[in-house]
Coordinates of all heavy atoms in Angstrom, one line a residue:
Q271 N 361.6 7.9 -10.5 CA 360.8 9.0 -11.1 C 359.9 9.6 -10.1 O 359.5 9.0 -9.1 CB 360.0 8.6 -12.3 CG 360.8 8.2 -13.5 CD 359.9 8.0 -14.7 OE1 358.8 7.5 -14.6 NE2 360.5 8.2 -15.9
A272 N 359.6 10.9 -10.2 CA 358.6 11.5 -9.3 C 357.3 10.7 -9.3 O 356.8 10.2 -10.3 CB 358.3 13.0 -9.8
G273 N 356.8 10.6 -8.0 CA 355.6 9.8 -7.8 C 356.0 8.4 -7.4 O 355.1 7.6 -7.0
G274 N 357.2 8.0 -7.6 CA 357.6 6.6 -7.3 C 357.9 6.4 -5.8 O 357.7 7.3 -5.0
S275 N 358.4 5.2 -5.5 CA 358.7 4.8 -4.1 C 360.0 4.2 -4.0 O 360.5 3.6 -4.9 CB 357.6 3.8 -3.6 OG 356.3 4.4 -3.6
L276 N 360.6 4.3 -2.8 CA 361.8 3.6 -2.4 C 361.7 3.2 -1.0 O 361.0 3.9 -0.2 CB 363.1 4.5 -2.6 CG 363.6 4.7 -4.0 CD1 364.7 5.8 -4.0 CD2 364.1 3.4 -4.7
R277 N 362.4 2.2 -0.6 CA 362.5 1.8 0.8 C 364.0 1.8 1.2 O 364.7 1.0 0.6 CB 361.9 0.5 1.1 CG 361.8 0.2 2.6 CD 361.1 -1.1 3.0 NE 361.9 -2.2 2.8 CZ 361.7 -3.4 3.5 NH1 360.7 -3.5 4.3 NH2 362.5 -4.4 3.3
L278 N 364.3 2.6 2.1 CA 365.7 2.6 2.6 C 365.8 1.7 3.9 O 364.8 1.6 4.6 CB 366.1 4.0 3.1 CG 366.0 5.1 2.0 CD1 366.5 6.4 2.5 CD2 366.7 4.7 0.7
S279 N 366.9 1.1 4.0 CA 367.2 0.2 5.1 C 368.4 0.7 5.9 O 369.4 1.2 5.2 CB 367.4 -1.3 4.7 OG 366.2 -1.8 4.1
C280 N 368.5 0.5 7.2 CA 369.6 0.8 8.0 C 369.9 -0.4 8.9 O 369.1 -0.6 9.9 CB 369.4 2.1 8.8 SG 370.7 2.5 9.9
A281 N 370.9 -1.1 8.6 CA 371.2 -2.3 9.4 C 372.3 -1.9 10.5 O 373.3 -1.3 10.2 CB 371.8 -3.4 8.5
A282 N 372.0 -2.2 11.7 CA 372.9 -1.9 12.8 C 373.7 -3.1 13.2 O 373.2 -4.2 13.1 CB 372.1 -1.4 14.0
S283 N 374.9 -2.8 13.8 CA 375.8 -3.9 14.1 C 375.4 -4.6 15.4 O 375.8 -5.7 15.7 CB 377.2 -3.4 14.2 OG 377.3 -2.4 15.2
G284 N 374.6 -3.9 16.3 CA 374.2 -4.5 17.5 C 372.7 -4.4 17.7 O 372.0 -4.0 16.8
S285 N 372.2 -4.8 18.8 CA 370.8 -4.8 19.1 C 370.3 -3.4 19.1 O 370.8 -2.5 19.9 CB 370.5 -5.5 20.4 OG 369.1 -5.3 20.8
I286 N 369.2 -3.1 18.4 CA 368.7 -1.8 18.4 C 367.9 -1.5 19.6 O 367.5 -0.3 19.8 CB 367.8 -1.5 17.1 CG1 366.6 -2.4 17.0 CG2 368.7 -1.6 15.9 CD1 365.7 -2.1 15.9
F287 N 367.7 -2.4 20.5 CA 367.0 -2.2 21.8 C 367.9 -1.2 22.6 O 367.4 -0.5 23.5 CB 366.8 -3.5 22.5 CG 365.6 -4.3 22.1 CD1 365.8 -5.5 21.5 CD2 364.4 -3.8 22.3 CE1 364.7 -6.2 21.1 CE2 363.3 -4.5 21.9 CZ 363.4 -5.7 21.3
S288 N 369.2 -1.3 22.3 CA 370.1 -0.4 23.1 C 370.2 1.0 22.7 O 370.8 1.9 23.3 CB 371.5 -1.0 23.1 OG 372.1 -0.9 21.8
F289 N 369.5 1.3 21.6 CA 369.5 2.7 21.1 C 368.3 3.5 21.6 O 367.2 3.0 21.5 CB 369.4 2.7 19.5 CG 370.6 1.9 18.9 CD1 370.4 1.2 17.7 CD2 371.8 1.9 19.5 CE1 371.4 0.5 17.1 CE2 372.9 1.2 18.9 CZ 372.6 0.5 17.7
K290 N 368.6 4.6 22.2 CA 367.6 5.5 22.7 C 366.7 6.0 21.6 O 365.5 6.1 21.7 CB 368.2 6.7 23.5 CG 367.1 7.6 24.1 CD 367.8 8.7 24.9 CE 366.7 9.6 25.5 NZ 367.3 10.7 26.3
S291 N 367.3 6.3 20.4 CA 366.6 6.8 19.3 C 367.3 6.4 18.0 O 368.5 6.2 18.0 CB 366.5 8.3 19.4 OG 365.9 8.9 18.2
M292 N 366.5 6.2 17.0 CA 367.1 5.9 15.6 C 366.3 6.7 14.6 O 365.1 7.0 14.9 CB 367.0 4.4 15.2 CG 367.9 3.6 16.0 SD 368.0 1.9 15.4 CE 369.0 2.1 13.9
G293 N 366.9 7.0 13.5 CA 366.1 7.7 12.5 C 366.9 8.0 11.3 O 368.0 7.5 11.0
W294 N 366.4 9.0 10.5 CA 366.9 9.4 9.3 C 367.0 10.9 9.1 O 366.1 11.6 9.5 CB 366.1 8.8 8.1 CG 366.0 7.4 8.0 CD1 365.1 6.5 8.7 CD2 366.9 6.5 7.3 NE1 365.4 5.2 8.4 CE2 366.5 5.2 7.5 CE3 368.0 6.7 6.4 CZ2 367.1 4.1 6.9 CZ3 368.6 5.7 5.8 CH2 368.1 4.3 6.0
Y295 N 368.2 11.3 8.6 CA 368.4 12.7 8.2 C 368.7 12.7 6.7 O 369.0 11.6 6.1 CB 369.6 13.3 8.9 CG 369.3 13.9 10.3 CD1 369.0 13.0 11.3 CD2 369.3 15.2 10.5 CE1 368.8 13.5 12.6 CE2 369.1 15.7 11.8 CZ 368.8 14.8 12.8 OH 368.6 15.3 14.1
R296 N 368.6 13.8 6.1 CA 369.0 13.9 4.7 C 369.8 15.3 4.5 O 369.6 16.2 5.2 CB 367.8 13.8 3.7 CG 366.8 15.0 3.8 CD 365.6 14.7 2.9 NE 364.6 15.8 3.0 CZ 363.4 15.7 2.4 NH1 363.1 14.6 1.7 NH2 362.6 16.7 2.5
Q297 N 370.6 15.3 3.4 CA 371.4 16.4 3.2 C 371.6 16.6 1.7 O 371.9 15.7 1.0 CB 372.8 16.3 3.9 CG 373.6 17.6 3.8 CD 374.8 17.5 4.7 OE1 375.3 16.4 5.1 NE2 375.3 18.6 5.2
V298 N 371.5 17.9 1.3 CA 371.7 18.3 -0.1 C 373.0 19.2 0.0 O 373.2 19.9 0.9 CB 370.5 19.2 -0.6 CG1 370.8 19.7 -1.9 CG2 369.2 18.4 -0.6
P299 N 373.8 19.0 -1.1 CA 375.1 19.8 -1.1 C 374.8 21.3 -0.8 O 374.0 21.9 -1.4 CB 375.6 19.5 -2.5 CG 375.1 18.2 -2.8 CD 373.7 18.1 -2.2
G300 N 375.6 21.8 0.1 CA 375.5 23.3 0.4 C 374.5 23.6 1.4 O 374.3 24.8 1.8
K301 N 373.8 22.6 1.9 CA 372.7 22.8 2.9 C 373.0 22.0 4.2 O 373.7 21.0 4.1 CB 371.4 22.5 2.4 CG 370.9 23.5 1.3 CD 369.5 23.3 0.9 CE 369.0 24.3 -0.1 NZ 367.5 24.1 -0.5
Q302 N 372.4 22.4 5.3 CA 372.5 21.6 6.5 C 371.8 20.3 6.4 O 370.8 20.2 5.7 CB 372.0 22.5 7.7 CG 372.9 23.6 8.1 CD 372.5 24.2 9.4 OE1 371.3 24.2 9.8 NE2 373.4 24.8 10.2
R303 N 372.2 19.4 7.2 CA 371.6 18.1 7.3 C 370.2 18.3 8.0 O 370.2 19.0 9.0 CB 372.4 17.1 8.1 CG 372.0 15.7 7.9 CD 373.1 14.8 8.5 NE 374.3 14.8 7.8 CZ 375.3 13.9 8.0 NH1 375.3 13.0 8.9 NH2 376.4 14.0 7.2
E304 N 369.2 17.8 7.5 CA 367.8 18.0 8.1 C 367.2 16.7 8.5 O 367.4 15.7 7.8 CB 366.9 18.8 7.1 CG 366.5 18.0 5.9 CD 365.4 18.6 5.1 OE1 364.8 19.6 5.6 OE2 365.1 18.1 4.0
L305 N 366.5 16.8 9.6 CA 365.8 15.6 10.1 C 364.6 15.2 9.2 O 363.9 16.0 8.8 CB 365.3 15.9 11.5 CG 364.5 14.8 12.2 CD1 365.4 13.6 12.5 CD2 363.8 15.3 13.5
V306 N 364.5 13.9 9.0 CA 363.4 13.4 8.2 C 362.4 12.6 9.0 O 361.2 12.9 9.0 CB 364.0 12.4 7.1 CG1 362.8 11.8 6.3 CG2 364.9 13.2 6.1
A307 N 362.9 11.7 9.8 CA 362.0 10.9 10.7 C 362.8 10.3 11.8 O 364.0 9.9 11.7 CB 361.4 9.8 9.9
T308 N 362.2 10.1 12.9 CA 362.8 9.5 14.1 C 361.9 8.4 14.7 O 360.7 8.5 14.6 CB 363.2 10.5 15.2 OG1 362.0 11.0 15.8 CG2 364.0 11.6 14.7
T309 N 362.5 7.5 15.4 CA 361.7 6.5 16.1 C 362.4 6.2 17.4 O 363.7 6.1 17.4 CB 361.4 5.2 15.3 OG1 360.7 4.3 16.1 CG2 362.7 4.5 14.9
G310 N 361.7 6.1 18.5 CA 362.3 5.9 19.8 C 361.2 5.9 20.8 O 360.3 5.1 20.7
G311 N 361.2 6.9 21.7 CA 360.1 7.1 22.6 C 358.9 7.5 21.8 O 357.7 7.2 22.2
S312 N 359.0 8.2 20.8 CA 357.9 8.6 19.9 C 358.4 8.7 18.5 O 359.6 8.6 18.2 CB 357.4 10.0 20.4 OG 358.5 11.0 20.2
T313 N 357.5 8.7 17.6 CA 357.8 8.8 16.2 C 357.5 10.2 15.6 O 356.4 10.7 15.9 CB 357.0 7.8 15.4 OG1 357.4 6.4 15.8 CG2 357.3 7.8 13.9
T314 N 358.5 10.8 15.0 CA 358.2 12.1 14.4 C 358.7 12.2 13.0 O 359.6 11.4 12.6 CB 359.0 13.2 15.3 OG1 360.4 12.9 15.2 CG2 358.6 13.2 16.7
Y315 N 358.1 13.1 12.3 CA 358.4 13.3 10.9 C 358.6 14.8 10.6 O 357.9 15.6 11.2 CB 357.3 12.8 10.0 CG 357.1 11.3 10.0 CD1 356.1 10.7 10.9 CD2 357.8 10.4 9.2 CE1 355.9 9.4 11.0 CE2 357.6 9.1 9.3 CZ 356.7 8.5 10.2 OH 356.5 7.2 10.2
A316 N 359.4 15.1 9.6 CA 359.5 16.5 9.1 C 358.2 16.8 8.4 O 357.5 15.9 7.8 CB 360.6 16.6 8.1
D317 N 357.7 18.0 8.5 CA 356.5 18.4 7.9 C 356.5 18.1 6.4 O 355.4 17.7 5.8 CB 356.2 19.9 8.1 CG 355.8 20.2 9.5 OD1 355.4 19.3 10.2 OD2 355.9 21.4 9.9
S318 N 357.6 18.2 5.7 CA 357.7 18.0 4.3 C 357.5 16.6 3.9 O 357.2 16.3 2.7 CB 359.1 18.5 3.8 OG 360.1 17.8 4.4
V319 N 357.6 15.6 4.8 CA 357.4 14.2 4.4 C 356.2 13.5 5.1 O 355.9 12.4 4.8 CB 358.7 13.4 4.7 CG1 359.9 14.1 4.1 CG2 358.9 13.2 6.2
K320 N 355.5 14.2 5.9 CA 354.4 13.7 6.6 C 353.3 13.2 5.6 O 353.0 13.9 4.6 CB 353.7 14.7 7.5 CG 354.5 14.9 8.8 CD 353.8 15.9 9.7 CE 354.5 16.1 11.0 NZ 353.9 17.2 11.9
G321 N 352.8 12.0 5.8 CA 351.8 11.4 4.9 C 352.4 10.7 3.7 O 351.7 10.0 3.0
R322 N 353.7 10.8 3.5 CA 354.4 10.2 2.4 C 355.5 9.2 2.8 O 355.7 8.1 2.2 CB 355.1 11.2 1.5 CG 354.1 12.2 0.9 CD 354.8 13.1 -0.1 NE 355.9 13.9 0.4 CZ 357.1 13.9 0.0 NH1 357.5 13.0 -1.0 NH2 358.1 14.6 0.6
F323 N 356.2 9.5 3.9 CA 357.2 8.6 4.4 C 356.8 7.9 5.7 O 356.0 8.5 6.5 CB 358.5 9.4 4.7 CG 359.2 10.0 3.6 CD1 358.7 10.0 2.3 CD2 360.5 10.6 3.7 CE1 359.3 10.5 1.2 CE2 361.2 11.1 2.7 CZ 360.6 11.1 1.4
T324 N 357.2 6.7 5.9 CA 357.0 5.9 7.1 C 358.2 5.3 7.6 O 358.9 4.6 6.9 CB 355.9 4.9 6.8 OG1 354.7 5.4 6.3 CG2 355.6 4.1 8.1
I325 N 358.5 5.5 8.9 CA 359.7 4.9 9.5 C 359.2 3.7 10.3 O 358.1 3.7 10.9 CB 360.4 5.9 10.4 CG1 361.7 5.3 10.9 CG2 359.6 6.4 11.6 CD1 362.6 6.3 11.6
S326 N 360.0 2.6 10.3 CA 359.6 1.4 11.0 C 360.9 0.7 11.4 O 362.0 1.0 10.9 CB 358.7 0.5 10.2 OG 359.4 0.0 9.0
R327 N 360.7 -0.2 12.3 CA 361.9 -1.0 12.8 C 361.6 -2.4 12.9 O 360.5 -2.8 13.3 CB 362.4 -0.4 14.1 CG 361.4 -0.3 15.2 CD 361.8 0.6 16.3 NE 363.0 0.2 17.0 CZ 363.7 0.9 17.9 NH1 363.3 2.2 18.1 NH2 364.7 0.4 18.5
D328 N 362.6 -3.2 12.7 CA 362.5 -4.7 12.9 C 363.6 -5.0 13.9 O 364.8 -5.1 13.7 CB 362.8 -5.4 11.6 CG 362.7 -6.9 11.7 OD1 362.9 -7.5 12.8 OD2 362.3 -7.5 10.7
N329 N 363.1 -5.3 15.2 CA 364.0 -5.5 16.3 C 364.7 -6.9 16.2 O 365.8 -7.1 16.8 CB 363.2 -5.5 17.6 CG 362.7 -4.1 17.9 OD1 363.3 -3.1 17.5 ND2 361.5 -4.0 18.6
V330 N 364.2 -7.8 15.4 CA 364.9 -9.1 15.2 C 366.0 -8.9 14.2 O 367.1 -9.5 14.4 CB 363.9 -10.1 14.6 CG1 364.6 -11.4 14.3 CG2 362.8 -10.4 15.7
K331 N 365.8 -8.1 13.2 CA 366.9 -7.9 12.2 C 367.8 -6.7 12.5 O 368.7 -6.4 11.8 CB 366.3 -7.7 10.8 CG 365.5 -8.9 10.3 CD 365.0 -8.7 8.8 CE 364.3 -9.9 8.3 NZ 363.8 -9.7 6.9
N332 N 367.5 -6.0 13.6 CA 368.3 -4.9 14.0 C 368.3 -3.9 12.9 O 369.4 -3.3 12.5 CB 369.7 -5.3 14.5 CG 369.7 -6.1 15.7 OD1 368.9 -5.8 16.6 ND2 370.5 -7.1 15.8
T333 N 367.2 -3.6 12.3 CA 367.1 -2.8 11.1 C 366.0 -1.7 11.2 O 364.9 -2.1 11.7 CB 366.9 -3.6 9.8 OG1 368.0 -4.5 9.7 CG2 366.9 -2.8 8.6
V334 N 366.3 -0.5 10.8 CA 365.3 0.5 10.7 C 365.1 0.8 9.2 O 366.0 0.8 8.4 CB 365.7 1.8 11.4 CG1 364.8 2.9 11.1 CG2 365.8 1.5 12.9
Y335 N 363.8 1.0 8.9 CA 363.4 1.3 7.5 C 362.8 2.7 7.3 O 362.3 3.2 8.2 CB 362.4 0.2 7.0 CG 362.9 -1.2 7.1 CD1 362.5 -2.0 8.2 CD2 363.7 -1.8 6.2 CE1 362.9 -3.3 8.3 CE2 364.1 -3.1 6.3 CZ 363.7 -3.8 7.4 OH 364.2 -5.1 7.5
L336 N 362.9 3.2 6.1 CA 362.2 4.4 5.7 C 361.5 4.1 4.4 O 362.2 4.0 3.4 CB 363.2 5.6 5.6 CG 362.5 6.9 5.4 CD1 361.7 7.3 6.6 CD2 363.5 8.0 5.0
Q337 N 360.2 3.9 4.5 CA 359.4 3.8 3.3 C 359.1 5.1 2.7 O 358.4 5.9 3.4 CB 358.1 3.0 3.6 CG 357.2 2.8 2.4 CD 357.8 1.9 1.3 OE1 358.4 0.9 1.6 NE2 357.7 2.3 0.0
M338 N 359.4 5.4 1.5 CA 359.2 6.7 0.9 C 358.3 6.5 -0.3 O 358.7 5.9 -1.3 CB 360.6 7.3 0.5 CG 361.6 7.4 1.6 SD 363.1 8.3 1.2 CE 363.7 7.2 -0.1
N339 N 357.1 7.1 -0.2 CA 356.2 7.1 -1.3 C 355.9 8.5 -1.9 O 356.3 9.5 -1.2 CB 354.8 6.5 -0.8 CG 355.0 5.1 -0.3 OD1 355.8 4.3 -0.8 ND2 354.2 4.7 0.7
S340 N 355.3 8.5 -3.0 CA 355.0 9.8 -3.7 C 356.2 10.7 -3.7 O 356.1 11.9 -3.3 CB 353.8 10.5 -3.0 OG 352.7 9.6 -3.0
L341 N 357.3 10.2 -4.1 CA 358.5 11.0 -4.1 C 358.5 12.2 -5.0 O 357.9 12.1 -6.1 CB 359.7 10.1 -4.4 CG 360.2 9.1 -3.3 CD1 361.0 8.0 -3.8 CD2 360.9 9.9 -2.2
K342 N 359.2 13.2 -4.5 CA 359.2 14.5 -5.3 C 360.7 14.8 -5.6 O 361.6 14.4 -4.9 CB 358.6 15.6 -4.4 CG 357.2 15.4 -4.0 CD 356.8 16.5 -3.1 CE 355.3 16.3 -2.6 NZ 354.9 17.4 -1.7
P343 N 360.9 15.6 -6.6 CA 362.3 16.0 -6.9 C 363.0 16.6 -5.7 O 364.2 16.4 -5.5 CB 362.2 17.0 -8.1 CG 360.9 16.5 -8.8 CD 360.0 16.0 -7.7
E344 N 362.3 17.3 -4.9 CA 362.9 18.0 -3.8 C 363.3 17.0 -2.6 O 363.9 17.4 -1.7 CB 362.0 19.1 -3.2 CG 360.6 18.6 -2.9 CD 359.6 19.0 -4.1 OE1 360.0 18.8 -5.2 OE2 358.5 19.4 -3.8
D345 N 362.9 15.7 -2.8 CA 363.4 14.7 -1.9 C 364.8 14.2 -2.2 O 365.4 13.4 -1.5 CB 362.4 13.5 -1.9 CG 361.0 13.9 -1.3 OD1 361.0 14.6 -0.3 OD2 360.1 13.4 -1.9
T346 N 365.3 14.7 -3.3 CA 366.7 14.3 -3.7 C 367.7 14.7 -2.7 O 367.7 15.9 -2.3 CB 367.0 14.9 -5.1 OG1 366.1 14.3 -6.1 CG2 368.4 14.6 -5.5
A347 N 368.5 13.8 -2.2 CA 369.5 14.1 -1.2 C 370.2 12.8 -0.8 O 369.9 11.7 -1.3 CB 368.8 14.6 0.1
V348 N 371.2 13.0 0.0 CA 371.9 11.8 0.6 C 371.2 11.6 1.9 O 371.0 12.5 2.7 CB 373.4 12.0 0.8 CG1 374.0 10.8 1.5 CG2 374.1 12.3 -0.5
Y349 N 370.7 10.4 2.1 CA 370.0 10.0 3.3 C 370.9 9.3 4.3 O 371.5 8.3 3.9 CB 368.8 9.2 3.0 CG 367.6 10.0 2.4 CD1 367.8 10.5 1.1 CD2 366.5 10.2 3.1 CE1 366.8 11.3 0.6 CE2 365.5 11.0 2.6 CZ 365.6 11.5 1.3 OH 364.6 12.3 0.8
Y350 N 370.9 9.8 5.5 CA 371.8 9.2 6.6 C 371.0 8.6 7.7 O 370.0 9.3 8.2 CB 372.7 10.3 7.2 CG 373.7 10.9 6.2 CD1 373.4 12.0 5.5 CD2 375.0 10.3 6.0 CE1 374.3 12.6 4.6 CE2 375.9 10.9 5.1 CZ 375.5 12.0 4.4 OH 376.4 12.6 3.5
C351 N 371.4 7.5 8.1 CA 370.8 6.8 9.3 C 371.6 7.2 10.5 O 372.8 7.4 10.4 CB 370.8 5.3 9.1 SG 370.3 4.3 10.5
Y352 N 370.9 7.4 11.6 CA 371.6 7.6 12.9 C 371.0 6.7 14.0 O 369.9 6.3 13.9 CB 371.5 9.1 13.3 CG 370.2 9.4 14.0 CD1 370.1 9.3 15.4 CD2 369.1 9.8 13.3 CE1 368.9 9.6 16.0 CE2 367.9 10.1 13.9 CZ 367.8 10.0 15.2 OH 366.6 10.3 15.8
A353 N 371.8 6.6 15.0 CA 371.4 5.8 16.2 C 372.1 6.5 17.5 O 373.3 6.7 17.5 CB 371.8 4.4 16.1

Side-chain angles (χ1 to χ4, degrees):
Q271 288 188 333
S275 298
L276 285 174
R277 188 176 80 156
L278 305 183
S279 300
C280 173
S283 58
S285 172
I286 62 176
F287 281 115
S288 66
F289 301 148
K290 182 177 181 180
S291 173
M292 292 187 75
W294 296 88
Y295 278 70
R296 67 187 180 187
Q297 188 169 24
V298 175
K301 293 188 177 181
Q302 286 191 332
R303 196 170 290 190
E304 66 169 354
L305 178 67
V306 177
T308 69
T309 180
S312 61
T313 299
T314 60
Y315 296 94
D317 288 341
S318 59
V319 308
K320 282 181 181 177
R322 300 188 298 121
F323 291 10
T324 304
I325 189 170
S326 62
R327 55 197 293 168
D328 185 328
N329 294 330
V330 174
K331 294 182 178 180
N332 294 322
T333 300
V334 171
Y335 303 97
L336 185 68
Q337 178 66 44
M338 306 186 295
N339 299 327
S340 302
L341 283 160
K342 304 176 181 180
E344 51 263 43
D345 294 318
T346 296
V348 178
Y349 285 70
Y350 296 90
C351 174
Y352 81 88

